[in-house]
Amino acid sequence: RIEAFIAAKNQPRWAQAAAFVLPRCCRSSETRVSSPSTSLQRRYSCTPVAAMADDDSKTVEGAPQVENTCAGCGLPAKMACPHCVKIKASEPQDFSTDYGVAYYCAQDCFKKHWKTHKAQHKPWAAAVEIATPLPGGNERMPSCFDNYQGWTGSLRPWARPAVDDTRARLLRLPASVQKPDYAGSGQPYSEILDKRNRTAKVYTPEQIQGIRKACKIGREVLDAAGRAVKVGVTTAEIDRVTYEATVSRGAYPSPLNYYNFPCAVCTSVNEVICHGIPDLRPLRDGDVVNVDVSVFYQGYHGDLNETFVVGQCSPQNVGLVETAFRCLEAGAALIRPGTMYRDIGSNIERVAKKRGCQVVKTYCGHGIGELFHTAPNVPHYSKNKAVGVMKAGHIFTIEPMINLGGWRDRTWPDDWTAVTADGSKSAQFEHTFLVTEDGYEILTMRDGEPRMAWDLTKQQR
């Protein structure tokens, strides 16, 4: 012990302390090495030195007593990250995740890989938070709905995750992810300055390539979010999956903090038309849910959405979802240079009415690229007053919102969620389109699917 003291004499003070406190710390969860001088201790309740058990104590208290592989170098390991153990212990019953306790072979190996390893803690903790019932039940509504009586259907908002909120997600964005101008302030100043613009931009080949990359990432993220949709899964979990899938691809989830929107994705269930805020309500058998994904990558946005039928849906609900798809298909059929933007709505409304549905008139498609929303406006109903003629190089979305009942809508007190005025169900599909010299290209299409084709198996969950 004296020799160890002499050897550690030139080490930092926290390292000197760890050399003697560590064995006792590892054997008792009540004792911790405290070192306010390190950023690791400020962000987490452990240090990379005192966080691991030594060979004498075998493992941190609470960790499984088994041989494991070192997460850093692949050698046999018995030392568990205590933060991982803490999160693991907080998991509710029957919880399933891709995350797990990380083991290391030695203190030095743990310290060497701490910077990359700690990145899994917050996403894992967020997943656990979403899966853990709140005191008093998840059915508790946000305070903005106190005394609200304007419900049009049976859907009600549930509580939202409190820890993994907008601020927490913004703070844990990697520095390499480029952010839009509203990420910090909640105000898209560049869009506000562009609000009076009525002329669609003709993008250069280089800009088109940038938007194509963003749209490709958006497609991958929507596919990941769509795989998460199933009976019993909360829309908050779909939101978490969307955030992690977007950030892991080096992109920013465009809805996050856009005019202070609190989440990374819009999830619109049943009578919600659009802009639904994810919450802790589990999806139920027979639900219809739209997942609207937008990403910002290297200066450009991509936007798309799909509607899924959850479990065993009625023929009426399946017919609604197919009608929304057919309406988007009908609108896309007119895309070519020389088409007036106002003509798209007539094609869409004709298909919707033929199938006994109505088109929402409050919301429309939009130009997209360097700005999330810009010219042109693309209404989805007939006899509209949209301005402009399509030219090669224009990029915009078509996203018809189709209701089983009337077309009118209302907005909930959260100032985002739009619902049908009569409580009927609603469905929507969206793609980002590029006008080419001889027609169009769907920038948000799946690989190997150059044209739209209805397939219920892709929307059934």
Side-chain angles (χ1 to χ4, degrees):
R1 194 172 180 81
I2 294 174
E3 291 174 355
F5 174 80
I6 295 172
K9 199 170 183 181
N10 294 324
Q11 298 295 321
R13 297 185 74 178
W14 61 266
Q16 294 178 31
F20 299 96
V21 179
L22 177 58
R24 184 178 300 173
C25 170
C26 294
R27 293 187 180 95
S28 172
S29 60
E30 298 176 357
T31 307
R32 298 284 182 184
V33 174
S34 176
S35 174
S37 63
T38 64
S39 61
L40 294 179
Q41 288 173 290
R42 286 194 297 267
R43 292 191 66 180
Y44 301 97
S45 60
C46 59
T47 67
V49 174
M52 307 296 293
D54 63 4
D55 289 333
D56 294 333
S57 57
K58 296 185 180 179
T59 60
V60 171
E61 184 177 345
Q65 303 292 319
V66 295
E67 190 75 21
N68 293 277
T69 302
C70 178
C73 63
L75 294 175
K78 295 182 180 180
M79 304 177 180
C81 168
H83 207 78
C84 289
V85 172
K86 181 179 178 182
I87 298 173
K88 186 70 176 177
S90 68
E91 290 181 352
Q93 191 174 6
D94 299 326
F95 179 77
S96 177
T97 181
D98 293 333
Y99 299 107
V101 176
Y103 291 83
Y104 290 88
C105 59
Q107 295 283 347
D108 289 342
C109 192
F110 179 65
K111 288 188 288 184
K112 180 179 179 181
H113 295 93
W114 170 253
K115 189 174 182 179
T116 54
H117 164 66
K118 69 178 182 180
Q120 83 165 23
H121 291 152
K122 288 190 176 181
W124 186 7
V128 171
E129 181 198 6
I130 291 169
T132 303
L134 295 173
N138 292 348
E139 296 90 342
R140 185 179 66 237
M141 296 185 194
S143 59
C144 63
F145 291 94
D146 290 348
N147 303 317
Y148 180 67
Q149 300 297 325
W151 312 109
T152 62
S154 60
L155 186 72
R156 298 291 184 271
W158 284 36
R160 303 170 194 158
V163 177
D164 191 40
D165 59 5
T166 306
R167 182 175 179 274
R169 290 183 172 186
L170 290 171
L171 286 174
R172 65 185 173 97
L173 276 173
S176 58
V177 173
Q178 185 175 345
K179 306 173 186 65
D181 62 350
Y182 55 82
S185 66
Q187 299 298 311
Y189 296 112
S190 52
E191 278 191 26
I192 294 171
L193 294 173
D194 184 70
K195 200 167 186 177
R196 294 182 179 274
N197 175 40
R198 295 292 182 270
T199 305
K201 182 174 181 176
V202 176
Y203 288 95
T204 66
E206 292 77 16
Q207 291 171 325
I208 290 171
Q209 187 60 26
I211 299 171
R212 183 179 281 113
K213 289 179 181 178
C215 288
K216 180 177 175 59
I217 291 174
R219 175 77 262 173
E220 294 172 356
V221 172
L222 179 56
D223 288 343
R227 287 191 293 271
V229 174
K230 62 180 179 180
V231 175
V233 171
T234 65
T235 50
E237 173 63 10
I238 296 171
D239 175 52
R240 186 194 68 82
V241 169
T242 300
Y243 176 86
E244 299 301 340
T246 303
V247 172
S248 68
R249 289 165 173 80
Y252 179 94
S254 299
L256 186 63
N257 214 30
Y258 178 78
Y259 285 111
N260 300 309
F261 187 80
C263 298
V265 67
C266 298
T267 53
S268 303
V269 181
N270 295 340
E271 67 261 32
V272 178
I273 297 170
C274 61
H275 305 155
I277 299 177
D279 58 28
L280 294 172
R281 176 190 179 274
L283 293 174
R284 299 170 182 171
D285 193 53
D287 280 348
V288 172
V289 57
N290 177 269
V291 181
D292 193 344
V293 168
S294 309
V295 304
F296 181 74
Y297 181 70
Q298 296 183 352
Y300 299 101
H301 294 272
D303 194 5
L304 72 161
N305 73 55
E306 291 185 6
T307 300
F308 301 94
V309 291
V310 183
Q312 298 300 316
C313 272
S314 67
Q316 187 181 40
N317 290 344
V318 173
L320 168 67
V321 175
E322 182 178 356
T323 298
F325 183 91
R326 298 296 184 191
C327 286
L328 175 57
E329 194 176 40
L334 291 181
I335 301 177
R336 65 180 64 87
T339 296
M340 301 183 74
Y341 282 104
R342 68 187 184 193
D343 292 341
I344 289 178
S346 298
N347 250 24
I348 291 173
E349 191 166 46
R350 189 180 304 114
V351 171
K353 287 186 173 181
K354 185 178 179 180
R355 290 172 166 262
C357 297
Q358 294 287 327
V359 180
V360 175
K361 299 181 181 181
T362 307
Y363 304 96
C364 62
H366 53 88
I368 191 169
E370 295 166 316
L371 300 178
F372 194 0
H373 299 90
T374 185
N377 286 333
V378 188
H380 306 121
Y381 55 92
S382 60
K383 299 180 181 179
N384 64 77
K385 298 180 180 179
V387 176
V389 177
M390 295 181 194
K391 298 179 182 179
H394 284 186
I395 296 178
F396 57 91
T397 71
I398 301 178
E399 44 187 303
M401 296 151 228
I402 310 300
N403 298 347
L404 272 176
W407 63 267
R408 298 184 185 278
D409 65 276
R410 292 183 185 176
T411 303
W412 276 358
D414 58 20
D415 292 332
W416 278 106
T417 307
V419 297
T420 57
D422 56 8
S424 61
K425 290 189 177 180
S426 184
Q428 178 190 17
F429 283 84
E430 175 187 17
H431 275 305
T432 297
F433 297 90
L434 164 68
V435 182
T436 62
E437 295 292 346
D438 57 352
Y440 65 91
E441 177 187 348
I442 305 177
L443 300 179
T444 47
M445 205 65 184
R446 291 185 181 89
D447 289 340
E449 296 182 18
R451 288 290 181 266
M452 295 177 62
W454 170 250
D455 185 350
L456 178 59
T457 60
K458 293 179 180 177
Q459 313 309 135
Q460 184 81 50
R461 294 293 185 270

